[in-house]
Amino acid sequence: MTQPLIIRPVVQADLLPWTRLWDGYNAFYGRKDQTALADEITQTTWARFFDPLEPVHALVAEHDGQLLGLTHYLYHRSTTQLGLSCYLQDLYTAESARGTGVGRALIEAVYRSAREAGSPRVYWQTHETNTSAMRLYDQVAERSGFLVYRKLM
């Protein structure tokens, strides 16, 4: 990349390129068999990024005017610490930009935001088959050893 990669908060004008990345992210995890995740979910998620009462935040990676990646993270209370935990919920890099440092830059930006917010912990989960992402994750964080269980209601 000749131009610098810019990591910045999402802005209203990013809606269309963010939506393309969001759709790619959801397709990657098999949630996009249909053309789009329920419009209501996407619209609500987008609106939360701009609501100061919501603990949900979004950053994008921009290079030469193009969005190449996104990350969404949120803060929540924990029973095991006083400070808020930071959950990195979504991380996605456009296929054309994978392996160029975009994912690492987005993670590092979440780390900076968490430090600024006084959060002592950033954590996330990924699917066990996402081995290429796990190679990066093993470099920038440690595996907790915890497994995720869920029951959809």
Side-chain angles (χ1 to χ4, degrees), residues 2-23:
T2 55
Q3 298 291 321
L5 182 67
I6 298 167
I7 306 297
R8 60 171 176 77
V10 72
V11 295
Q12 291 283 353
D14 292 329
L15 178 58
L16 267 111
W18 173 86
T19 301
R20 286 199 263 324
L21 291 168
W22 176 242
D23 288 347

Side-chain angles (χ1 to χ4, degrees), residues 120-139:
R121 175 175 49 201
V122 175
Y123 71 101
W124 64 92
Q125 60 186 345
T126 193
H127 196 272
E128 62 190 7
T129 60
N130 195 359
T131 55
S132 60
M134 286 190 283
R135 283 192 292 277
L136 168 62
Y137 301 161
D138 288 340
Q139 294 174 30

